[in-house]
Amino acid sequence: MNGRQVRLQAVRRMAQSSLKVLSLAGRRSEELRAVVAHQADERIVDAVAERFRLPDPLMVKCIRDAGNTTAASVHLARRPPTHP
């Protein structure tokens, strides 16, 4: 597997699906107050934010603290992990 190609494909598909969801909801990216993406690769999340010209604080990122979270991303975004 070519990691670079996989990452580019992930960014492309995430951007396309995000646009589709926004369209179906009758919304624009400028209306977003937060974006909670699957926390698997911070570079993918950053690249999608760049494509949408979203400011960094709008992108919920907890991968550095929690690792790859699979389906728990939303829950962690609401209550980030605490450190002892």
Side-chain angles (χ1 to χ4, degrees):
M1 253 188 181
N2 182 331
R4 184 174 189 278
Q5 290 301 317
V6 170
R7 193 179 306 75
L8 290 173
Q9 183 77 289
V11 170
R12 189 171 19 259
R13 288 182 180 210
M14 187 173 166
Q16 288 172 345
S17 61
S18 297
L19 285 173
K20 184 176 182 178
V21 168
L22 285 169
S23 176
L24 290 170
R27 301 288 183 190
R28 300 182 328 262
S29 61
E30 297 84 17
E31 298 177 80
L32 296 173
R33 292 184 288 155
V35 176
V36 181
H38 169 60
Q39 303 291 303
D41 187 328
E42 192 168 1
R43 293 175 292 181
I44 294 171
V45 174
D46 290 341
V48 171
E50 188 176 309
R51 282 192 179 200
F52 284 101
R53 295 186 178 97
L54 298 173
D56 197 51
L58 212 59
M59 301 302 290
V60 175
K61 294 187 269 185
C62 59
I63 193 166
R64 289 183 186 183
D65 294 325
N68 186 334
T69 59
T70 313
S73 298
V74 173
H75 303 292
L76 285 169
R78 295 189 66 196
R79 185 176 300 229
T82 57
H83 299 284

